[in-house]
């Protein structure tokens, strides 16, 4: 029984699944829109939304410069902490973490739901249900 078991296995070992999720998250941040199977899109949605939620409260470099001298160190530390967490989630892909920190302020006023999944039909080869996952 699978009662209260979160997530999908996607017929992969844990290490392979982790790498798959990481690659999908990097692709979404880089392209803002990707086509993948519906099961993968559903599996990746909570993780990408948690990343954006974490990053949307990060101060931008302009906000850090405009802040009073006493608050700057705390703001820089907060930005560094989120950068470190992003590096843990996205591997050593600094470009993806910078991209995350660039797009996160767009969602500052949004209470959630940063990702949209749209079904687009079946794949020709194996009839897998395909979906487009995109940042709103």
């Amino acid at each position: 029984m699978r009662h209260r078991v979160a997530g999908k296995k996607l017929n992969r070992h844990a290490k392979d699944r982790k790498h798959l999720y990481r690659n999908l998250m990097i692709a979404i941040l880089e392209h803002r829109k990707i086509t993948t199977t519906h099961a993968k899109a559903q599996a990746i949605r909570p993780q990408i939304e948690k990343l954006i939620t974490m990053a949307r409260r990060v101060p931008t470099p302009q906000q850090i410069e405009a802040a009073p001298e006493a608050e700057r160190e705390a703001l820089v530390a907060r930005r560094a902490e989120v950068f470190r967490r992003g590096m843990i989630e996205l591997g050593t892909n600094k470009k993806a973490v910078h991209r995350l920190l660039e797009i996160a302020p767009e969602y500052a006023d949004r209470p959630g739901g940063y990702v949209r999944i749209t079904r687009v039909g079946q794949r020709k080869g194996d009839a897998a249900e395909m979906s487009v996952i995109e940042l709103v």
Side-chain angles (χ1 to χ4, degrees):
M1 289 185 281
R2 288 187 48 88
H3 297 288
R4 299 177 59 106
V5 177
K8 302 271 188 199
K9 289 194 174 189
L10 299 176
N11 208 18
R12 289 169 168 78
H13 295 290
K15 186 174 87 173
D16 297 334
R17 191 169 48 246
K18 182 179 176 181
H19 290 302
L20 171 72
Y21 289 175
R22 180 179 291 167
N23 289 336
L24 286 172
M25 286 192 291
I26 289 170
I28 290 170
L29 291 173
E30 188 175 323
H31 302 291
R32 297 186 71 101
K33 180 179 184 178
I34 61 170
T35 303
T36 186
T37 63
H38 189 68
K40 290 177 188 174
Q42 283 183 320
I44 201 66
R45 172 189 254 168
Q47 292 190 348
I48 196 71
E49 291 204 0
K50 286 176 188 171
L51 264 181
I52 293 173
T53 299
M54 174 187 67
R56 73 185 189 143
R57 294 189 211 100
V58 174
T60 62
Q62 293 82 15
Q63 290 172 333
I64 292 172
E65 286 181 23
E69 193 88 17
E71 295 177 14
R72 278 190 196 156
E73 192 172 317
L75 294 176
V76 170
R78 172 71 180 142
R79 187 169 178 87
E81 173 66 16
V82 170
F83 189 83
R84 186 185 65 77
R85 285 185 178 181
M87 290 292 284
I88 290 170
E89 286 292 319
L90 298 173
T92 58
N93 194 330
K94 289 183 181 181
K95 183 178 176 185
V97 178
H98 284 296
R99 182 82 172 126
L100 173 66
L101 293 176
E102 285 175 13
I103 65 171
E106 297 174 18
Y107 301 105
D109 298 330
R110 192 176 179 94
Y114 316 116
V115 177
R116 176 184 303 137
I117 297 176
T118 310
R119 291 178 189 234
V120 293
Q122 295 180 332
R123 186 164 49 197
K124 269 190 173 182
D126 60 355
E129 187 69 32
M130 299 300 286
S131 293
V132 171
I133 182 167
E134 61 186 329
L135 296 175
V136 178

